Amino acid sequence: MASFIAQKLAGPYLKEYFEPGYVGPSINTFSGTVTVEKMRFKPKALDFLNLPVQIKIGYVGKIVATINYSALMSSSPVRSPVKASVSDVFIVVGPNTGETKFD
């Protein structure tokens, strides 16, 4: 059930940048971790940056978000309520072949 909720919450954000077929999100509610694995970037994932490049191929091996439940309720700025780690990132970019004009 928690995995279904995580998919509904994270799905719209993930599908904007990644191709379908990734693994997860898997959730461990006791430790407060959400893990998504084996994601492949969409070719247009960097378009929002307005760069003259396009992704030819790109992968992210794993994204792990850890939610510190006690820090969510705290007003202390020292503790961060969510930590994210990204591992095994590989991106090959090439010239943008679209019709975007750059100055």
Side-chain angles (χ1 to χ4, degrees):
M1 180 66 169
S3 184
F4 174 76
I5 293 170
Q7 180 65 37
K8 288 296 181 187
L9 292 174
Y13 300 104
L14 293 174
K15 73 178 184 180
E16 188 173 337
Y17 302 104
F18 299 104
E19 300 285 351
Y22 48 84
V23 177
S26 63
I27 300 196
N28 184 333
T29 53
F30 184 72
S31 66
T33 60
V34 178
T35 305
V36 185
E37 298 180 283
K38 300 179 183 173
M39 296 168 290
R40 182 176 177 171
F41 280 106
K42 288 184 173 181
K44 302 288 185 182
L46 295 178
D47 282 358
F48 74 98
L49 295 173
N50 294 323
L51 298 172
V53 296
Q54 170 178 340
I55 295 176
K56 298 300 180 186
I57 191 166
Y59 297 96
V60 175
K62 184 187 286 188
I63 297 176
V64 178
T66 304
I67 302 163
N68 183 346
Y69 295 118
S70 62
L72 285 174
M73 302 300 183
S74 173
S75 62
S76 172
V78 176
R79 293 176 159 180
S80 60
V82 179
K83 292 181 183 177
S85 66
V86 181
S87 61
D88 301 325
V89 178
F90 173 77
I91 300 176
V92 175
V93 296
N96 192 344
T97 56
E99 297 188 21
T100 308
K101 301 288 184 203
F102 296 97
D103 294 329

